[in-house]
Amino acid sequence: MDVPVHTTFGLNVTTQLVLKKNEKEELFSTPLMKAVEDFGSPWLQSNDMTFHDPLAAACLFDPQICDYQQGSIDVEVEKEEQLGMMEFQQRVDGKRNIAIRVDQEKFFDHYYHVVLNST
């Protein structure tokens, strides 16, 4: 099956969603998040939490959390020093959407609502 439009959330957007350790302690009050905390506590002790995958997941349910540009992506596959680097070209007929901005408040409202209301 061909996906009509592929959406990408790059580090330029996801790294805007950082939670400092101990910033939102009630986040870990639900059974689900207590399991996450238990599993990740050694890592969470010394690192901030960046919401890379949660942003992509949240946008499945509320795409308006981000603003997007439509275009095409070329990936370098030959030049070793640039291997894997992507170049985005904005095009009206492109089959790629790139998140260019994230509404941080809207994301965290969505995320906290889901996580704090999980059972």
Side-chain angles (χ1 to χ4, degrees), residues 27-28 30 32-33 110-119:
L27 179 63
F28 296 100
T30 67
L32 171 65
M33 290 306 290
H110 176 90
Y111 186 80
Y112 296 146
H113 174 76
V114 170
V115 170
L116 295 176
N117 291 307
S118 67
T119 54

Side-chain angles (χ1 to χ4, degrees), residues 7-18 50-53 55-56 59 63 65-69 97-104 107-108:
T7 302
T8 301
F9 301 89
L11 294 175
N12 60 315
V13 175
T14 62
T15 55
Q16 295 177 38
L17 302 172
V18 176
T50 305
F51 293 80
H52 303 291
D53 295 338
L55 175 62
C59 288
I65 290 173
C66 288
D67 294 329
Y68 308 88
Q69 283 184 341
N97 278 341
I98 300 275
I100 57 169
R101 274 183 293 286
V102 60
D103 183 330
Q104 295 171 333
F107 168 78
F108 281 115

Side-chain angles (χ1 to χ4, degrees), residues 51-100:
F51 293 80
H52 303 291
D53 295 338
L55 175 62
C59 288
L60 288 172
F61 299 98
D62 187 356
Q64 284 72 40
I65 290 173
C66 288
D67 294 329
Y68 308 88
Q69 283 184 341
Q70 186 173 352
S72 62
I73 298 173
D74 291 318
V75 179
E76 180 58 57
V77 294
E78 294 179 7
K79 298 177 187 170
E80 188 172 330
E81 65 277 355
Q82 297 174 335
L83 201 59
M85 295 181 83
M86 294 188 300
E87 181 181 339
F88 175 76
Q89 296 175 354
Q90 190 171 358
R91 295 176 32 174
V92 177
D93 62 342
K95 291 191 174 196
R96 304 286 187 256
N97 278 341
I98 300 275
I100 57 169

